[in-house]
Amino acid sequence: MKFKSKITWWFHILIWSYILFTVRILSMYITNSSKLVIIIFVFMLILLILIILPMYVSTYYVLEDSYIYIRCGLITNIKIDYINIISFKESNNPISSPALSMDRIKIQYSINYYNNFILISPDRKKKFINKLNKRIKEIR
């Protein structure tokens, strides 16, 4: 079952403000600056398009039969087997994670005796928690 990431309103504003600001700065420098500055700003805009926008539109979580798959943009692809999940709980931890909202779930897991955690923000959080709990119980 696939769950898209919840996106808070301020994240929408932050992303689109950054995009508009970058385009505005680029347009100012195109008319008033050297070609090197134009190339630098075009490079920044391309990075924005290749990193920020894919994260914005393709952050999701899939509950498969034996694992949870976490996708965030073009870079983050994580697979956590249910058998490795130690615990999960609701969280508002602000650290960087594949979550586009502060309404998060902290999943603690262990791989090869190494404990780690990840924060996610599914859009239907209660349903996600119920399904995740059910899948973990089925495995154990």
Side-chain angles (χ1 to χ4, degrees):
M1 177 169 249
K2 184 175 179 178
F3 293 83
K4 292 192 74 58
S5 179
K6 182 177 183 178
I7 305 174
T8 54
W9 64 270
W10 58 265
F11 191 80
H12 289 291
I13 292 171
L14 179 70
I15 294 300
W16 288 105
S17 296
Y18 184 77
I19 291 169
L20 293 174
F21 178 73
T22 303
V23 170
R24 176 67 179 134
I25 295 296
L26 177 62
S27 68
M28 287 175 22
Y29 278 102
I30 285 175
T31 57
N32 299 324
S33 293
S34 69
K35 290 188 182 211
L36 177 62
V37 173
I38 294 170
I39 291 169
I40 291 170
F41 275 103
V42 168
F43 180 73
M44 288 176 57
L45 188 60
I46 290 170
L47 284 177
L48 173 73
I49 291 169
L50 291 177
I51 294 173
I52 302 295
L53 290 182
M55 177 185 70
Y56 187 65
V57 297
S58 66
T59 298
Y60 60 87
Y61 323 103
V62 181
L63 295 173
E64 297 289 353
D65 290 337
S66 61
Y67 63 89
I68 179 174
Y69 175 72
I70 299 167
R71 172 77 187 235
C72 183
L74 301 174
I75 299 170
T76 304
N77 296 300
I78 300 169
K79 180 181 136 183
I80 303 171
D81 292 328
Y82 297 133
I83 197 77
N84 294 329
I85 295 177
I86 299 167
S87 67
F88 60 92
K89 65 179 180 176
E90 295 186 36
S91 174
N92 291 334
N93 190 329
I95 67 167
S96 179
S97 64
L100 305 180
S101 169
M102 294 301 292
D103 187 19
R104 298 173 169 190
I105 299 171
K106 179 180 181 179
I107 299 175
Q108 292 185 295
Y109 61 97
S110 177
I111 297 178
N112 297 328
Y113 304 104
Y114 177 72
N115 291 337
N116 202 354
F117 73 90
I118 191 162
L119 297 164
I120 61 173
S121 61
D123 59 352
R124 297 167 289 155
K125 189 164 87 171
K126 295 297 181 194
K127 184 173 184 177
F128 181 89
I129 288 171
N130 289 337
K131 294 283 185 185
L132 179 59
N133 202 20
K134 182 180 177 187
R135 298 276 169 102
I136 291 171
K137 286 180 180 178
E138 288 173 358
I139 294 293
R140 294 182 181 163

